[in-house]
Amino acid sequence: MHEARDALGKRLRELRSAAGLSGRQLAESLSWPASKVSKLENGRQTPTDDDIRSWTSATGSEGEAEALLASLHTLEVQHAEWQRQLRGGLKPHQQEIAELDARTRLFRAFESTFIPGLLQTAEYARYRFGQSISVFKVRNDINEAVATRVQRQAVLYRPDKRFHFVLTEAALRYRLCPPDVMIGQLDRLVSLTSLPNVKLGIIGFEAPYVVAPAHGFWILDSDRVMVETFSAELNLAQPQEIALYGGIFESLAGAASYGRSARAIINRVIEDLAPEAPEDVS
């Protein structure tokens, strides 16, 4: 990510130099603070599409704009800030993920804090999306986003797809929604263990770890690793990174319980939550 941003900044500097402009002259022509030119050229700030267009126009290098924008968009995929991804609402992002789902054959996912989107009930998803709206102050299109996420889950029933999910017991117990909603979510997990192309592992609190469950991640086929941080979605595509995460996933999967043992952990959590849920849910 840093190297790619450095390379983009270097190319911008070359265009400025070729135009015979100092950094201050370019900044003045664009009504920018001089520090912005320096940050862009030294890879300390990621340019926007408008920044690229303004830069190439001011340096008389409009013909370079398309290639620079392509480099920028590749960079954005590697480090996709949530503010940018969600500025059009939650639903468009779910549609983009659905397109990625359609191209993927093998899904490997580890989550330590929450239930993966493909396994969520509509009610649980509503609370997850509610957090996104609260944190990022984006448009409230929760109803549409929930409907799109539920539609995405049809991919679970396609025989040409394979799924391997590994969750920590903590992910089953974190209070990210009311107890009755969580009980419904856990009940869905139990039912999903019967799908022939879905492998669901649960790492109980008593299980020893070889690798610490530092953060969740998805491995799509052997092409991409997706990691969600508070600020951005990271898309890692270097072969050594994919191999590293593949090994970590195997280690975590080896610590998990499956089948009847996994269902026993889930049912144990349901029993612990039941006294806190409304009577009809219990």
Side-chain angles (χ1 to χ4, degrees):
M1 171 67 188
H2 183 68
E3 291 175 356
R5 192 161 52 197
D6 275 352
L8 180 57
K10 181 180 179 181
R11 183 59 184 142
L12 293 174
R13 185 186 302 112
E14 290 172 350
L15 295 177
R16 174 182 60 76
S17 296
L21 296 172
S22 68
R24 183 172 297 278
Q25 288 172 326
L26 177 60
E28 290 176 352
S29 71
L30 296 174
S31 299
W32 289 353
S35 60
K36 179 172 180 177
V37 172
S38 175
K39 288 177 181 178
L40 292 176
E41 289 187 349
N42 290 288
R44 297 198 303 272
Q45 180 175 331
T46 303
T48 65
D49 286 16
D50 287 342
D51 291 341
I52 294 291
R53 294 190 183 98
S54 297
W55 193 291
T56 54
S57 176
T59 57
S61 54
E62 291 90 341
E64 299 289 330
E66 185 175 347
L68 290 169
L69 287 170
S71 296
L72 172 62
H73 297 159
T74 299
L75 187 63
E76 289 175 337
V77 168
Q78 292 175 320
H79 186 273
E81 296 179 356
W82 292 120
Q83 289 288 3
R84 289 191 181 191
Q85 290 202 81
L86 302 179
R87 59 189 170 193
L90 300 166
K91 178 183 176 181
H93 181 56
Q94 289 301 301
Q95 292 172 323
E96 291 176 7
I97 298 176
E99 294 173 3
L100 189 57
D101 291 344
R103 298 194 300 269
T104 305
R105 290 292 176 267
L106 172 62
F107 300 74
R108 288 173 286 172
F110 170 72
E111 292 292 357
S112 57
T113 54
F114 53 82
I115 309 302
L118 284 179
L119 307 182
Q120 292 176 6
T121 64
E123 294 79 10
Y124 184 94
R126 187 173 297 278
Y127 281 91
R128 296 297 305 135
F129 286 132
Q131 175 183 305
S132 296
I133 290 173
S134 173
V135 171
F136 300 112
K137 307 296 187 288
V138 295
R139 184 168 65 88
N140 187 338
D141 60 347
I142 285 184
N143 291 336
E144 295 86 350
V146 169
T148 305
R149 173 162 286 180
V150 171
Q151 290 169 1
R152 277 182 55 211
Q153 295 172 356
V155 75
L156 292 170
Y157 303 95
R158 286 183 48 175
D160 60 326
K161 309 278 191 180
R162 291 187 296 132
F163 304 85
H164 188 171
F165 298 99
V166 177
L167 311 180
T168 65
E169 183 174 344
L172 312 183
R173 292 185 178 274
Y174 280 130
R175 302 304 180 95
L176 305 180
C177 60
D180 57 323
V181 173
M182 196 64 201
I183 288 174
Q185 175 63 72
L186 296 174
D187 186 63
R188 173 164 169 75
L189 291 184
V190 171
S191 67
L192 288 172
T193 62
S194 65
L195 292 180
N197 60 331
V198 175
K199 188 175 183 180
L200 176 61
I202 307 295
I203 305 177
F205 282 141
E206 71 285 352
Y209 284 90
V210 175
V211 179
H215 60 77
F217 59 90
W218 288 66
I219 307 175
L220 306 182
D221 291 324
S222 295
D223 303 324
R224 178 190 303 199
V225 176
M226 298 173 63
V227 180
E228 293 185 358
T229 71
F230 279 110
S231 62
E233 175 187 88
L234 309 182
N235 288 273
L236 312 178
Q238 294 295 325
Q240 65 270 24
E241 292 177 310
I242 295 172
L244 173 65
Y245 274 90
I248 291 172
F249 183 83
E250 291 305 314
S251 176
L252 293 167
S257 297
Y258 296 86
R260 182 179 301 175
S261 297
R263 289 190 289 273
I265 297 173
I266 298 170
N267 286 323
R268 184 172 70 208
V269 181
I270 291 175
E271 291 174 3
D272 290 344
L273 285 173
E276 303 178 40
E279 192 67 29
D280 56 339
V281 175
S282 302

